[in-house]
């Protein structure tokens, strides 16, 4: 069965410092991996996705994520955090086995990111 | 292009009542998924519709149902409401479902409070 783990409920980072939000996954076959961000009282917004190819994926707002197949991880990173990056971040995975109808996207429980001024 | 719209945005119901939530996907998007978001459980998948057919269903009781219309608009219904159904219900649309690597676009959600 597919699963996603975000091991940290909350991450605190000082403004200007690099940030990392961790995500590990379990899926049969090759994964499609996604990161979404949710601001207060809003729906989720797509940040970036990994399909195939380069392990480093660049997305919106200066975020990037590194796909590591051997560690089954897809950590979200940003070189220099902004206070406006404070939000709830979700990692998600969808399996890619052919003819598999059980291919719904699975979300992690979310990590709350606090950027301290 | 207009985003995903959900109506109503806020709803207060009492136990035992039923509720219908509506979602209009982005124009051209044919897949609609529904999620329940609560602080304790995070984002939980309810169901996914494509071409008026339910493709996938999460682990929710039969009180939760949905449908999709020919214009891709979708509704979800919850009957015999329980206190535990209080949550933010999110609708998401994508171009296609299935093994396609298409990202989902989420609406702002409907905040349901059951008293």
């Amino acid at each position: 069965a597919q699963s996603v783990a975000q091991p940290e409920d909350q991450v605190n980072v000082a403004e200007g410092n690099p940030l990392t939000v961790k995500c590990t996954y379990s899926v049969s076959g090759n994964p499609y991996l996604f990161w979404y961000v949710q601001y207060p009282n809003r729906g989720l917004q797509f940040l970036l996705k990994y399909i195939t190819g380069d392990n480093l994926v660049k997305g919106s707002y200066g975020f990037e994520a590194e796909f590591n197949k051997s560690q089954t991880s897809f950590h979200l990173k940003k070189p220099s955090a902004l206070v406006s990056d404070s939000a709830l971040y979700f990692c998600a995975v969808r399996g890619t086995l052919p003819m598999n109808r059980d291919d719904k996207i699975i979300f992690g429980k979310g990590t709350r990111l606090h950027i301290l001024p | 292009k207009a985003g995903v719209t959900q109506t109503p945005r806020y709803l207060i119901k009492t136990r035992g009542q039923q509720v219908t939530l509506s979602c209009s996907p982005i124009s051209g998007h044919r897949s609609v998924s529904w999620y329940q978001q609560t602080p304790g459980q995070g984002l939980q998948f309810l169901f996914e519709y494509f071409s008026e057919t339910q493709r996938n269903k999460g682990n929710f009781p039969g009180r939760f149902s949905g449908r999709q219309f020919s214009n891709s608009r979708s509704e979800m219904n919850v009957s015999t409401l329980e206190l535990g159904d209080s949550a933010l219900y999110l609708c998401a649309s994508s171009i296609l479902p299935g093994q396609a690597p298409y990202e989902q676009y989420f609406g702002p959600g409907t905040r349901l409070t059951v008293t």
Side-chain angles (χ1 to χ4, degrees):
Chain A
Q2 297 171 184
S3 66
V4 177
Q6 293 181 244
E8 301 153 319
D9 290 337
Q10 182 168 309
V11 171
N12 297 324
V13 177
E15 187 177 25
N17 283 2
L19 69 86
T20 298
V21 183
K22 295 179 181 177
C23 171
T24 58
Y25 66 91
S26 174
V27 69
S28 299
N30 294 318
Y32 294 140
L33 294 156
F34 305 83
W35 274 101
Y36 289 84
V37 60
Q38 185 178 35
Y39 297 100
N41 301 314
R42 302 283 296 276
L44 278 67
Q45 295 179 33
F46 169 75
L47 275 180
L48 50 80
K49 66 182 176 184
Y50 171 82
I51 303 172
T52 187
D54 287 342
N55 290 340
L56 187 64
V57 179
K58 294 189 183 296
S60 307
Y61 312 122
F63 284 94
E64 58 190 27
E66 187 169 11
F67 171 65
N68 188 317
K69 188 172 184 176
S70 63
Q71 296 185 5
T72 60
S73 67
F74 190 55
H75 301 330
L76 181 70
K77 301 182 180 186
K78 187 172 182 180
S80 178
L82 300 173
V83 172
S84 57
D85 293 330
S86 298
L88 187 58
Y89 290 80
F90 290 93
C91 180
V93 67
R94 191 197 283 272
T96 60
L97 280 183
M99 304 305 292
N100 182 0
R101 287 284 300 273
D102 188 18
D103 56 3
K104 53 185 176 287
I105 190 167
I106 302 296
F107 284 82
K109 289 193 178 298
T111 297
R112 190 162 296 282
L113 180 62
H114 286 285
I115 307 302
L116 309 171
Chain B
K1 242 184 212 182
V4 178
T5 58
Q6 292 187 247
T7 57
R9 291 293 309 277
Y10 302 92
L11 207 47
I12 299 176
K13 292 285 189 179
T14 56
R15 277 179 298 176
Q17 287 186 312
Q18 77 164 18
V19 67
T20 298
L21 311 181
S22 181
C23 171
S24 292
I26 291 174
S27 177
H29 285 195
R30 298 169 60 195
S31 173
V32 174
S33 297
W34 288 89
Y35 297 88
Q36 181 195 67
Q37 185 179 15
T38 58
Q41 298 297 318
L43 210 63
Q44 292 193 291
F45 172 77
L46 279 156
F47 23 65
E48 178 185 34
Y49 286 88
F50 176 69
S51 292
E52 303 177 63
T53 301
Q54 188 180 88
R55 292 192 71 253
N56 260 317
K57 190 177 190 307
N59 297 323
F60 278 82
R63 299 185 297 108
F64 292 81
S65 63
R67 59 177 175 170
Q68 186 181 32
F69 303 95
S70 58
N71 61 358
S72 295
R73 191 177 70 83
S74 177
E75 289 181 346
M76 68 163 279
N77 183 276
V78 189
S79 62
T80 321
L81 283 166
E82 301 177 0
L83 294 178
D85 296 333
S86 295
L88 181 67
Y89 289 88
L90 293 167
C91 167
S93 76
S94 63
I95 295 174
L96 291 173
Q99 285 89 35
Y102 300 110
E103 61 270 24
Q104 294 182 310
Y105 292 83
F106 284 78
T110 295
R111 173 75 62 187
L112 172 65
T113 302
V114 181
T115 62

